[in-house]
Amino acid sequence: MAISINHRFIERLTSTANYDKVNIVIIGTFNPGLPDFSKLDRDEKARFALIENSRKFKKFNQVKNFYDRPQNRFWKIMDFINDNHFYSQTGINTINYNGLKFYVGMDREKVFKKQQEFCYKNKVLITDIVKAINPLTFNSIYDNFPDTAIENAFPVWNTEEIIEVIKKYKPAKVLINFSADSKTTPNICAQVSRIKKSFPDIIVPSLKSTSGAAGFRYDVLIEDWKEHFVWKKATVKK
């Protein structure tokens, strides 16, 4: 049998049904959904059952959007861009319980709706370079899903679909939210190079990663990201 895993949000990867214009495309790598159980053998089903019953997986499985895990800094950066007046008054380390980043105790569905509204209003399309993987094992796939594991999992690329979206909407910027020149992920980087070759004037590889593992402070990330959003105004109050 075989392991086959689609992107968690595969139906939204390049869907533009709610957009009349796309100003910014943000490209990440991959977020694994559930495996195709019909293709798993007995041992693979048993292995996934252990993963599925873990506390870590159950928390991860609650996310509703790209970059929605607590350790990722993306949505707080977007929240600053969306409501920089709040942070200019309180400081970037303040929790905005009415903002775009989910915190424990908040309503996930309401936060997700706000995130979607932010993207539709500001014409921001979030997508990933990989739409499915076919790994030999589950090792590392659901353990923070590192890019090196995705790289070696026989990816199904989303590159052509991304290129078609860019051709159709002609965004002002295409932002890459991972290292696009890493020697450890040559295949992923090659896909970014394809997009860059087609659209050299609008692609920005790479911004500082919003991943918690990357370890960048919020003030550093905001200064790096906000220049690409034309509606930003305020400076960061530390």
Side-chain angles (χ1 to χ4, degrees):
M1 302 293 280
I3 300 173
S4 178
I5 304 172
N6 280 340
H7 193 288
R8 175 169 292 271
F9 311 119
I10 193 167
E11 75 285 352
R12 287 191 262 136
L13 272 181
T14 48
S15 173
T16 56
N18 294 294
Y19 294 85
D20 57 359
K21 177 79 177 90
V22 174
N23 290 331
I24 295 176
V25 177
I26 300 174
I27 304 175
T29 49
F30 183 72
N31 188 316
L34 299 177
D36 183 342
F37 290 98
S38 69
K39 296 182 179 179
L40 301 181
D41 63 26
R42 181 182 298 178
D43 289 342
E44 290 163 346
K45 288 178 180 178
R47 171 59 181 151
F48 183 74
L50 292 175
I51 295 171
E52 191 175 26
N53 288 320
S54 69
R55 181 180 178 185
K56 184 174 185 177
F57 180 88
K58 288 178 180 178
K59 289 180 65 177
F60 152 67
N61 203 39
Q62 293 175 346
V63 303
K64 293 186 173 294
N65 207 358
F66 299 85
Y67 309 119
D68 204 26
R69 294 189 300 155
Q71 59 268 49
N72 199 292
R73 290 154 166 74
F74 178 85
W75 283 111
K76 187 157 186 173
I77 297 166
M78 295 302 107
D79 197 45
F80 175 88
I81 292 168
N82 187 58
D83 189 9
N84 52 42
H85 177 74
F86 173 87
Y87 293 104
S88 68
Q89 298 297 311
T90 64
I92 190 57
N93 292 321
T94 306
I95 293 176
N96 183 5
Y97 285 107
N98 293 308
L100 299 175
K101 182 172 175 61
F102 174 81
Y103 294 95
V104 174
M106 296 172 69
D107 186 315
R108 276 194 178 274
E109 198 62 46
K110 288 183 179 179
V111 175
F112 175 45
K113 185 176 180 180
K114 287 180 182 179
Q115 293 169 353
Q116 287 183 305
E117 289 172 348
F118 169 84
C119 289
Y120 299 152
K121 176 184 176 181
N122 296 293
K123 318 301 184 187
V124 175
L125 178 68
I126 304 173
T127 189
D128 280 339
I129 201 70
V130 175
K131 60 184 178 182
I133 58 173
N134 301 280
L136 298 177
T137 74
F138 287 116
N139 292 346
S140 298
I141 299 302
Y142 294 101
D143 187 16
N144 299 323
F145 33 96
D147 291 349
T148 49
I150 304 307
E151 167 88 3
N152 295 313
F154 303 97
V156 179
W157 304 109
N158 192 39
T159 314
E160 291 297 335
E161 289 89 339
I162 293 172
I163 288 173
E164 288 305 310
V165 167
I166 297 171
K167 284 181 178 178
K168 179 178 180 179
Y169 290 98
K170 299 177 176 59
K173 294 282 180 72
V174 178
L175 309 179
I176 310 299
N177 192 10
F178 59 90
S179 176
D181 58 0
S182 172
K183 291 182 172 58
T184 62
T185 54
N187 294 324
I188 290 175
C189 294
Q191 299 303 311
V192 176
S193 294
R194 286 186 58 201
I195 301 173
K196 183 178 180 181
K197 185 176 180 180
S198 298
F199 311 100
D201 296 331
I202 62 172
I203 193 165
V204 183
S206 301
L207 292 175
K208 288 181 171 61
S209 172
T210 63
S211 166
F216 292 109
R217 300 193 315 269
Y218 273 117
D219 58 326
V220 173
L221 287 167
I222 287 170
E223 291 299 327
D224 192 48
W225 279 77
K226 71 174 187 176
E227 66 176 283
H228 302 291
F229 295 80
V230 296
W231 60 91
K232 95 286 187 180
K233 294 293 182 183
T235 56
V236 181
K237 180 179 178 181
K238 298 179 183 179

